[in-house]
Amino acid sequence: QVQLVESGGGSVQAGGSLRLSCAASGYTYRVFYAAWFRQAPGKEREGVAAIDSDGTTRVADSVKGRFAISRDLTKTTLYLEMNSLKPEDTAMYYCATGPPRYGLLNAFSPNRFDYWGQGTQVTVSS
């Protein structure tokens, strides 16, 4: 049974930083494809950052230069480093994983993901 557990969310002032973590367990393979999504109240879910099985990354234009996705050396924990946070970054953040994939075409397509975490709330005040 695969489980994804996010942590690291919280409340910060604009300009602050947070680091989200997503611990994955139960995988039979280690180098899964993964991404972070977010969803604000009344808005559609948005892909934020993705990392393929080679470690190549992509971030959405809305967070480019401020957010970065990475994983640890064991490749079982996913991170989202968020800097220069803005009020519009306020949302529930989710990690999602899927089978190994190489390349980031259609990086946030739902078809790429088998498992989703429960989410961690990020609130940025002005």
Side-chain angles (χ1 to χ4, degrees), residues 17-22 34-36 38 48-51 55-60 62-72 77-85 89 93 108:
S17 299
L18 284 173
R19 188 192 199 200
L20 306 184
S21 299
C22 172
W36 287 95
R38 67 185 181 185
V48 176
I51 184 166
T56 305
T57 64
R58 173 175 292 175
V59 295
S62 58
V63 302
K64 195 165 291 184
R66 301 188 297 120
F67 289 15
I69 186 172
S70 63
R71 56 172 133 222
D72 71 347
T77 302
L78 186 70
Y79 301 103
L80 183 67
E81 191 76 38
M82 305 187 295
N83 298 308
S84 301
L85 282 161
D89 295 319
Y93 283 72
F108 303 113

Side-chain angles (χ1 to χ4, degrees), residues 10-119:
S11 298
V12 296
Q13 290 193 323
S17 299
L18 284 173
R19 188 192 199 200
L20 306 184
S21 299
C22 172
S25 61
Y27 262 102
T28 56
Y29 43 79
R30 287 169 60 184
V31 193
F32 45 77
Y33 184 86
W36 287 95
F37 291 79
R38 67 185 181 185
Q39 188 165 22
K43 294 189 176 181
E44 291 190 356
R45 186 176 63 197
E46 173 190 19
V48 176
I51 184 166
D52 78 357
S53 299
D54 262 342
T56 305
T57 64
R58 173 175 292 175
V59 295
D61 288 343
S62 58
V63 302
K64 195 165 291 184
R66 301 188 297 120
F67 289 15
I69 186 172
S70 63
R71 56 172 133 222
D72 71 347
L73 292 179
T74 68
K75 299 181 173 63
T76 57
T77 302
L78 186 70
Y79 301 103
L80 183 67
E81 191 76 38
M82 305 187 295
N83 298 308
S84 301
L85 282 161
K86 304 176 181 180
E88 51 263 44
D89 295 319
T90 295
M92 185 72 79
Y93 283 72
Y94 301 89
C95 64
T97 60
R101 284 183 181 266
Y102 300 89
L104 290 162
L105 185 65
N106 299 319
F108 303 113
S109 171
N111 293 337
R112 291 197 166 214
F113 305 100
D114 293 333
Y115 301 100
W116 296 78
Q118 293 299 307

